[in-house]
Amino acid sequence: MPINDPVKAQIVRKRLLEKKICRNCGATNSVEASKCRRCHSKNLRLKRKELASKKSA
Ligand SMILES: [Zn+2]
């Protein structure tokens, strides 16, 4: 189903870019998730495009 509403398209695009990766099992979770859907660990990190370069925290 095509998305004609530019506002909705932007939200979808943002959701595709912003994900949470479980540090425990590596599963991809939605950005709203507070814990991993696979292993229920709360050890999640945000995955975003601009974090592609490694930075020592
Ligand atoms: Zn997990």
Side-chain angles (χ1 to χ4, degrees), residues 21-27 29 35-44:
I21 307 298
C22 177
R23 284 192 174 103
N24 193 43
C25 74
N29 295 272
K35 61 182 181 179
C36 177
R37 61 186 167 144
R38 187 191 286 174
C39 72
H40 303 150
S41 168
K42 288 183 179 175
N43 195 2
L44 302 176

Side-chain angles (χ1 to χ4, degrees), residues 5-55:
D5 188 338
V7 177
K8 279 187 184 172
Q10 201 167 27
I11 292 169
V12 169
R13 210 172 295 134
K14 197 178 175 188
R15 286 192 177 217
L16 286 174
L17 288 177
E18 296 187 359
K19 293 281 186 185
K20 279 182 177 177
I21 307 298
C22 177
R23 284 192 174 103
N24 193 43
C25 74
T28 307
N29 295 272
S30 70
V31 73
E32 297 97 343
S34 57
K35 61 182 181 179
C36 177
R37 61 186 167 144
R38 187 191 286 174
C39 72
H40 303 150
S41 168
K42 288 183 179 175
N43 195 2
L44 302 176
R45 65 175 175 85
L46 269 176
K47 182 186 185 184
R48 298 182 71 176
K49 250 192 172 178
E50 51 273 29
L51 292 181
S53 60
K54 285 192 178 175
K55 208 191 275 185

